[in-house]
Amino acid sequence: MGARYERQPSRLEMKKLLITGIAVLLAISAAYAADEELPPVAAPPVQATPIPPAPPLGWVYGPYTMCGDPPRCSMGVVNVPADGLNVRIAPNGPPVMSLVNGTPLCLLKGLDYCLALRAKNTRQH
């Protein structure tokens, strides 16, 4: 029997086969990529609105306060020989509330009257 001759694929056929194989692989990988879930997108950071400072309580008669940090006297406490110290809407104006002895205050000094602000509570509970 004679030798059997098998035809070898031409270069053009090999190139076509290679390109077809690459196209099939790309199509398969694209199909798998479409099935995968995308990673979650991080939400933008939330900007907190700063809390505005508390409004002043009102005006108190300066001689009825005791200075807590001499010589500045920006901090003080109510010290009155009565049931409470009147807080007024304006110097020598009508009273709107009363503060008991020992109430801490931030004081903005005026002549006879001081503008009273609520002091921060520094005690630990």
Side-chain angles (χ1 to χ4, degrees), residues 38-116:
L38 296 175
V41 177
V46 176
Q47 298 257 335
T49 306
I51 298 172
L57 295 173
W59 293 87
V60 295
Y61 189 60
Y64 291 143
T65 62
M66 186 169 55
C67 182
D69 61 344
R72 293 182 316 176
C73 290
S74 62
M75 294 292 297
V77 293
V78 174
N79 184 22
V80 61
D83 290 335
L85 175 62
N86 288 335
V87 179
R88 302 173 183 277
I89 58 174
N92 210 18
V96 291
M97 72 172 89
S98 183
L99 301 174
V100 297
N101 280 332
T103 302
L105 300 171
C106 292
L107 302 170
L108 301 175
K109 290 285 186 181
L111 295 174
D112 288 335
Y113 282 85
C114 303
L115 185 59

